[in-house]
């Protein structure tokens, strides 16, 4: 490494990752082949357009690597089409909106405070200024069940052009069949699922695939449970046409409408080094052992939720059915999520503060914390280790003002974590 300063920072981050336990549910550790593809010479290449239809010469290998990523993504998620160019999940969602909506059109999406994502219409976003977002919620945050009656009433009243199922802080599975039945009552309504958090669970067969219930489009990131590079992905059902020609705006033509919305609509040159790394990650997710990984994520999350419940944590929805847990630390211990996040950071357990449904505290000091098991499962932790993690969490919260005790707990976490190598070491 030529740049000593950057080398030091990379070494510091690697040490932090190796010596800590990563509990942020949207993070993971990639394999060495994924890292190698990210650091490859594909980063040098411009390739605006799509395989076989580029605006620059020299595309012999970029065309092949992008086609490989597309074909693997289609196989993994039973899609007719995959666009692997979005730089991340937010532009993937924006591209779908832009492909299907006109300014002022209505989208029915999950409320941010009930688990939805910023790009699902939070007022601070660009899309919220362009489109009209209506929000559905949980009926009861203690069980997590979505209020499907309210959802249907809102849909019939507002006639959304998109119904969006998906979340970034919701610990239960959605009933895509119910969403689809409601969407089918509205003419021209596109059913869109944002599965960024659970893509790896779907790929591994432990969460439902929204396409099986009639959804038209699925967006995702590639770096969460799917364990690939940071990036985005749009999958669709329909007829794949020539992206150089504007097709009629029909649900059948959605793959081509999306291709045109991504390029030239939103992005210029795709990042072929990231696409190469996506191809590697999709190949890994197609292996039989990925099913074991996905199943273990869910088992670990359930065990961690149980261990937290026995230590007095109040969990939003009462537990988890996926990879993530949302705890209301204000209801549990009278603390805000920022205080808890900081106490746990000091002992090497990394998670994030998060709002809970109908939160009375402000977003920067919300009532909750969000955590999950994708990354620790990659490192090889199993159900039997979850008691220890919950115990460290509780001890650090109790000792939050006792620096000596926190330092002792940190030493214990480091000793424990070093027993589990990073996948890039192997
Ligand atoms: N920032 C991601 C998360 O942590 O869930 C979602 O975009």
């Amino acid at each position: 490494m030529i740049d000593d300063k950057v080398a030091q920072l990379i070494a510091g981050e690697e040490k932090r990752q190796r010596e800590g336990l990563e509990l942020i549910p949207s993070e993971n550790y990639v394999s060495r082949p994924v890292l190698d593809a990210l650091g490859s010479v594909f980063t040098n290449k411009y390739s605006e357009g799509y395989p076989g239809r580029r605006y620059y010469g020299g595309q012999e290998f970029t065309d092949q690597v992008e086609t490989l990523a597309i074909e693997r993504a289609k196989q993994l998620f039973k899609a007719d089409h995959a666009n692997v160019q979005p730089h991340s999940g937010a532009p993937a969602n924006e591209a779908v909106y832009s492909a299907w909506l006109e300014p002022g059109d209505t989208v029915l999406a999950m409320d941010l405070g009930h688990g939805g994502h910023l790009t699902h219409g939070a007022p601070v976003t660009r899309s919220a200024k362009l489109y009209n977002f209506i929000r559905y919620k949980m009926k009861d945050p203690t069980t997590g069940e979505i209020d499907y009656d309210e959802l249907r009433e809102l849909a019939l009243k507002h006639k959304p052009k998109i119904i969006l199922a998906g979340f970034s802080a919701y610990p239960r599975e959605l009933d895509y069949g119910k969403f689809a039945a409601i969407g089918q009552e509205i003419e021209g309504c596109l059913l869109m699922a944002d599965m960024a958090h659970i893509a790896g669970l779907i790929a591994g067969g432990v969460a439902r695939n929204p396409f099986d219930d009639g959804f038209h489009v699925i967006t995702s990131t590639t770096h969460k449970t799917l364990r690939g590079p940071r990036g985005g992905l749009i999958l669709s059902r329909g007829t794949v046409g020539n992206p150089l020609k504007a097709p009629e705006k029909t649900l059948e033509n959605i793959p081509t409408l999306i291709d045109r919305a991504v390029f030239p609509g939103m992005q210029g040159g795709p990042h072929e080094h990231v696409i190469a790394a996506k191809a590697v990650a999709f190949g890994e997710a197609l292996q039989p052992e990925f099913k074991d990984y996905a199943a273990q994520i869910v088992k670990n999350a359930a065990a961690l939720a149980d261990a937290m419940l026995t230590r007095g944590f109040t969990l939003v929805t009462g537990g988890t059915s996926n990879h993530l847990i949302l705890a209301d630390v204000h209801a549990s211990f009278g603390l805000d999520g920022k205080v808890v996040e900081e106490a746990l950071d000091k002992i090497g357990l990394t998670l994030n503060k998060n709002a809970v449904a109908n939160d009375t505290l402000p977003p920067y000091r919300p009532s909750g914390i969000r955590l999950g098991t994708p990354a620790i499962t990659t490192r090889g932790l199993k159900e039997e280790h979850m008691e220890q993690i919950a115990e460290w969490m509780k001890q650090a919260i109790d000792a939050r003002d006792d620096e000596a005790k926190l330092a002792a707990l940190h030493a214990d976490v480091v000793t424990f974590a070093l027993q589990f190598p990073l996948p890039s070491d192997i």
Side-chain angles (χ1 to χ4, degrees):
M1 175 84 60
I2 290 165
D3 189 317
D4 287 343
K5 285 192 176 158
V6 174
Q8 273 175 25
L9 296 174
I10 292 172
E13 174 60 15
E14 192 170 329
K15 182 170 185 289
R16 187 194 70 80
Q17 292 188 14
R18 193 185 305 283
E19 294 186 350
L21 294 177
E22 185 53 72
L23 295 169
I24 293 176
S26 48
E27 295 189 12
N28 214 325
Y29 303 98
V30 299
S31 67
R32 175 57 59 186
V34 169
L35 275 183
D36 288 347
L38 272 174
S40 71
V41 291
F42 276 121
T43 197
N44 297 333
K45 190 73 196 99
Y46 251 121
S47 54
E48 286 179 17
Y50 289 101
R53 297 183 179 100
R54 306 281 195 185
Y55 290 84
Y56 292 75
Q59 307 294 343
E60 183 182 355
F61 299 104
T62 48
D63 275 5
Q64 290 182 61
V65 85
E66 189 167 336
T67 302
L68 190 61
I70 289 168
E71 292 306 318
R72 287 179 176 174
K74 284 163 57 181
Q75 186 184 346
L76 205 46
F77 296 105
K78 298 188 272 182
D80 292 331
H81 184 53
N83 187 308
V84 296
Q85 294 192 1
H87 297 322
S88 199
N93 284 345
E94 291 256 0
V96 178
Y97 300 152
S98 150
W100 191 239
L101 303 175
E102 300 297 332
D105 278 348
T106 297
V107 180
L108 181 53
M110 195 162 183
D111 190 88
L112 177 67
H114 284 233
H117 187 249
L118 271 176
T119 58
H120 301 174
V124 289
T125 59
R126 186 177 63 160
S127 25
K129 294 183 176 71
L130 272 178
Y131 311 116
N132 173 39
F133 283 85
I134 307 290
R135 293 172 184 84
Y136 61 86
K137 298 181 177 178
M138 288 182 271
K139 190 191 291 186
D140 176 2
T142 62
T143 64
E145 196 197 347
I146 299 295
D147 193 339
Y148 291 102
D149 294 332
E150 182 203 33
L151 200 155
R152 180 167 180 272
E153 276 169 30
L154 289 169
L156 294 178
K157 181 172 171 201
H158 295 283
K159 305 257 182 296
K161 294 284 293 292
I162 294 180
I163 294 182
L164 172 50
F167 51 82
S168 62
Y170 179 71
R172 299 294 181 184
E173 195 158 26
L174 298 174
D175 188 336
Y176 301 112
K178 285 190 177 156
F179 278 89
I182 295 167
Q184 280 150 14
E185 292 188 66
I186 316 289
E187 198 187 330
C189 178
L190 178 106
L191 290 159
M192 169 180 174
D194 177 345
M195 63 170 192
H197 264 261
I198 55 166
L201 304 185
I202 294 172
V206 293
R208 269 192 84 73
N209 184 335
F211 283 141
D212 291 339
D213 290 306
F215 272 60
H216 306 104
V217 173
I218 296 177
T219 57
S220 186
T221 51
T222 48
H223 48 269
K224 298 186 174 89
T225 47
L226 196 49
R227 209 164 59 181
R230 309 197 75 75
L233 171 68
I234 307 174
L235 302 151
S236 50
R237 286 265 169 97
T239 301
V240 184
N242 178 354
L244 297 179
K245 291 191 194 136
E248 196 188 341
K249 213 167 181 180
T250 64
L251 287 170
E252 187 58 32
N253 287 335
I254 200 72
T256 316
L257 292 165
I258 286 170
D259 277 349
R260 291 174 59 83
V262 173
F263 175 83
M266 281 191 54
Q267 295 187 177
H271 295 177
E272 292 295 343
H273 59 305
V274 181
I275 290 173
K278 288 176 186 174
V280 175
F282 299 156
E284 291 174 355
L286 282 165
Q287 302 309 309
E289 50 271 29
F290 196 84
K291 289 193 180 339
D292 301 334
Y293 166 62
Q296 191 63 50
I297 291 175
V298 175
K299 284 190 239 171
N300 283 351
L304 183 54
D306 284 347
M308 289 173 69
L309 284 168
T310 61
R311 286 165 179 79
F313 286 86
T314 304
L315 303 187
V316 177
T317 82
T320 181
S321 316
N322 58 23
H323 64 300
L324 76 80
I325 297 164
L326 197 55
D328 185 336
V329 289
H330 195 240
S332 319
F333 310 117
L335 300 172
D336 67 60
K338 184 165 186 284
V339 167
V340 173
E341 178 191 292
E342 286 170 0
L344 297 184
D345 237 356
K346 287 184 183 165
I347 72 162
L349 300 183
T350 312
L351 46 65
N352 64 277
K353 58 185 167 292
N354 211 97
V356 300
N358 312 318
D359 208 329
T360 52
L361 298 185
Y364 194 65
R365 280 194 177 275
S367 298
I369 53 169
R370 189 187 66 153
L371 64 160
T373 53
I376 55 172
T377 304
T378 293
R379 284 187 82 170
L381 273 68
K382 298 279 194 308
E383 292 101 303
E384 62 264 29
H385 302 119
M386 299 301 125
E387 283 283 340
Q388 178 63 81
I389 292 177
E391 181 59 25
W392 277 325
M393 289 175 68
K394 182 66 171 65
Q395 287 187 16
I397 289 169
D398 290 345
R400 60 191 177 280
D401 298 321
D402 180 345
E403 293 298 330
K405 173 75 176 167
L406 291 173
L409 289 171
H410 186 212
D412 290 346
V413 171
V414 171
T415 304
F416 176 83
L418 288 175
Q419 297 171 58
F420 300 92
L422 300 182
S424 49
D425 294 335
I426 299 165

